[in-house]
Amino acid sequence: MKSSLSPYFNMLCHPLLIICLVLGIGCLPLWEAALAANLEKVIFIPQWLPQAQFAGYYMAYEKGFYRQHGLEVEIRRGGPHSCAAECVQNFQADFGTMFLTAGIEKRAQGIGIINIAQIVQKSGLLLVSQKKHGILRPQDLMGKRVGLWAGDFQIQPRLFFHKYNLFVKIIPMGEGVNLFLRQGLDATSAMRYNEYHLLLNSGLNPEELTVFDMAEHGFDFPEDGIYCLEETWRRHPSRCRAFVAASLAGWRYAFAHPEETLDIVMRYVTEAHIKTNRVHQKWMLAQLQELIEPPGKAIPMGLLVPQTYRQVAQELQNYLLIKTIPPYEEFYRDCQSDVEKR
């Protein structure tokens, strides 16, 4: 394996730096120039707008972890008008995040997407209703207006409807929960770390809500993972490992220093003109830690467990969302064991 010290050895041998040290003149600007000259530039795009859901990547950037691993990372904004999966597929980004179900679907369609780190190990996706409308069991959703986001977010709810033989009126959803609060929906999609907390902040109490947790109904599908093209891995495996190592370091730092992390997150959301507050982002970060490091499950951060992968892929095949299951060994590249050695 190529030594992780080689980029730094090259920097020490940089002619500008040698001259600087010999003459005893100001070294910092030249050191920074030498460092920048040896960094590999990459583009990363998460699947949504700035928020604590991506705090680990922000901290990896802000604390210099990417640079320490030889990378100059540009973090772009994802969201409804900038699909992370499409950006990776079209060579507009080197790395991106997406749900495991989306990654499996794309691989099964013949797209050369691979998973290089499974960050979120559990599902945080919910369907939420108000008890006052008589919705207490899955069967009570029959014929009701259910809000679903587009794309990957529809997979688990549609499997849920199929499991309970439900026919519902699907209403396309945008951001926020206003449509649900204004009685435009009988049930709304919600992430536990985001929209569910917005509902509580709106004045609704937990006991007033019926929550259908996809994980509790047999669809506990891991969500955010780091993806790249197989071609990127084939041409630059050390770059992929470096990105994973630095990203995991960023997540560990974020969980160990939540207040500092929230300072950074709030700067990112402010720059993006996103309406939120620190209390909500704090909730999000805490909920994400439980999904990334599930209590009682000793899963190394970043690992895609083979059994979990096969269970999710089998569900997708059972419900005819994919025809064949991509082999685990072709879909996932284990950067985790390499990261643990660093």
Side-chain angles (χ1 to χ4, degrees):
M1 183 177 69
K2 183 180 178 181
S3 172
S4 60
L5 295 177
S6 57
Y8 306 102
F9 178 79
N10 292 336
M11 281 185 280
L12 289 173
C13 294
H14 196 284
L16 288 175
L17 184 58
I18 293 174
I19 294 172
C20 169
L21 293 174
V22 170
L23 296 179
I25 59 178
C27 296
L28 186 57
L30 292 180
W31 169 264
E32 291 178 345
L35 174 63
N38 284 274
L39 296 176
E40 296 183 85
K41 295 182 179 180
V42 300
I43 297 172
F44 165 66
I45 182 168
Q47 75 259 42
W48 199 244
L49 300 168
Q51 56 186 12
Q53 180 182 359
F54 311 113
Y57 310 108
Y58 303 151
M59 298 313 290
Y61 179 85
E62 296 291 336
K63 303 306 293 186
F65 299 152
Y66 288 129
R67 292 173 70 86
Q68 290 171 17
H69 283 81
L71 302 177
E72 183 66 66
V73 177
E74 176 188 346
I75 301 179
R76 294 185 178 174
R77 293 174 189 166
H81 305 297
S82 188
C83 175
E86 291 181 2
C87 287
V88 172
Q89 288 176 227
N90 298 328
F91 298 93
Q92 295 171 333
D94 300 280
F95 305 103
T97 61
M98 67 181 82
F99 280 12
L100 176 60
T101 49
I104 294 174
E105 272 198 312
K106 292 183 181 302
R107 186 74 192 191
Q109 293 167 1
I111 299 171
I113 287 282
I114 60 171
N115 180 308
I116 57 174
Q118 184 58 48
I119 304 300
V120 176
Q121 297 291 345
K122 291 180 60 62
S123 175
L125 185 58
L126 316 170
L127 292 177
V128 183
S129 304
Q130 292 191 61
K131 292 179 180 178
K132 69 179 183 180
H133 296 313
I135 300 175
L136 305 175
R137 307 170 304 152
Q139 291 76 9
D140 297 328
L141 289 171
M142 180 68 78
K144 301 296 185 181
R145 299 164 301 169
V146 181
L148 296 185
W149 294 303
D152 309 337
F153 295 97
Q154 293 199 8
I155 293 176
Q156 286 154 284
R158 288 183 179 276
L159 296 182
F160 174 85
F161 302 147
H162 189 278
K163 178 177 180 177
Y164 292 104
N165 298 312
L166 299 175
F167 296 93
V168 303
K169 183 177 181 180
I170 294 176
I171 308 296
M173 279 180 55
E175 298 178 51
V177 292
N178 287 338
L179 187 59
F180 177 73
L181 294 175
R182 293 175 181 175
Q183 311 304 313
L185 298 172
D186 299 302
T188 184
S189 298
M191 301 306 297
R192 181 173 295 281
Y193 52 79
N194 195 354
E195 289 78 15
Y196 178 70
H197 191 239
L198 294 178
L199 291 175
L200 300 183
N201 285 342
S202 75
L204 292 170
N205 296 310
E207 55 270 21
E208 298 178 84
L209 300 173
T210 297
V211 177
F212 301 109
D213 188 331
M214 296 297 100
E216 295 178 357
H217 287 270
F219 306 110
D220 190 8
F221 299 169
E223 294 171 347
D224 299 13
I226 301 175
Y227 290 81
C228 69
L229 288 175
E230 192 166 18
E231 180 178 344
T232 301
W233 170 267
R234 185 170 58 251
R235 295 176 61 187
H236 308 288
S238 60
R239 182 183 300 177
C240 297
R241 293 189 180 99
F243 186 83
V244 169
S247 298
L248 297 186
W251 275 113
R252 294 189 182 100
Y253 189 94
F255 294 146
H257 305 85
E259 294 305 322
E260 179 185 354
T261 298
L262 289 169
D263 291 340
I264 299 299
V265 169
M266 292 308 298
R267 196 184 82 215
Y268 275 68
V269 300
T270 299
E271 291 172 354
H273 306 290
I274 295 173
K275 295 180 180 180
T276 187
N277 58 52
R278 190 182 182 96
V279 172
H280 180 58
Q281 296 301 319
K282 186 173 184 177
W283 165 280
M284 188 179 296
L285 184 62
Q287 293 295 313
L288 257 296
Q289 184 170 11
E290 291 190 6
L291 297 177
I292 293 174
E293 300 179 320
K297 290 190 176 182
I299 303 175
M301 187 186 295
L303 179 68
L304 177 59
V305 179
Q307 182 180 358
T308 300
Y309 168 79
R310 295 187 181 100
Q311 288 174 343
V312 174
Q314 188 64 62
E315 288 287 353
L316 296 181
Q317 187 182 50
N318 290 345
Y319 288 99
L320 305 179
L321 295 177
I322 61 174
K323 293 182 179 180
T324 59
I325 296 177
Y328 171 83
E329 296 76 12
E330 296 179 6
F331 177 80
Y332 175 64
R333 299 299 186 275
D334 183 12
C335 295
Q336 178 61 28
S337 57
D338 181 71
V339 169
E340 291 298 317
K341 296 174 185 177
R342 292 173 182 262

